[in-house]
Amino acid sequence: MDVEEYCKFMFNKKNIYNCNLCPENKELQNRRENQLPCGQYHCWVALSCDRGSENEKL
């Protein structure tokens, strides 16, 4: 996945919690409760989309 495809995925709200297709998915086997397959507790896409909205307001 190149940078452009990565950004299109990360800034598309339709991809929120779409862990199976997410480029950040590390398929962690020993996750803690509420931990996503990437190892984070908050979806990268949700955070990216929120950040994008914030930047649009500037």
Side-chain angles (χ1 to χ4, degrees):
M1 176 178 283
D2 65 22
V3 174
E4 185 177 338
E5 291 172 320
Y6 180 89
C7 289
K8 283 183 182 179
F9 185 91
M10 288 299 184
F11 289 99
N12 184 344
K13 289 185 180 188
K14 293 179 182 177
N15 291 323
I16 293 174
Y17 294 110
N18 188 0
C19 297
N20 290 333
L21 297 177
C22 183
E24 295 296 337
N25 184 347
K26 312 258 190 286
E27 297 184 16
L28 296 177
Q29 300 300 317
N30 297 324
R31 299 187 314 238
R32 293 182 178 166
E33 189 176 342
N34 299 325
Q35 196 173 14
L36 299 170
C38 61
Q40 299 299 314
Y41 291 94
H42 301 285
C43 177
W44 284 104
V45 178
L47 294 172
S48 296
C49 289
D50 285 344
R51 182 73 168 183
S53 309
E54 184 178 295
N55 289 336
E56 288 174 10
K57 294 177 188 174
L58 296 177

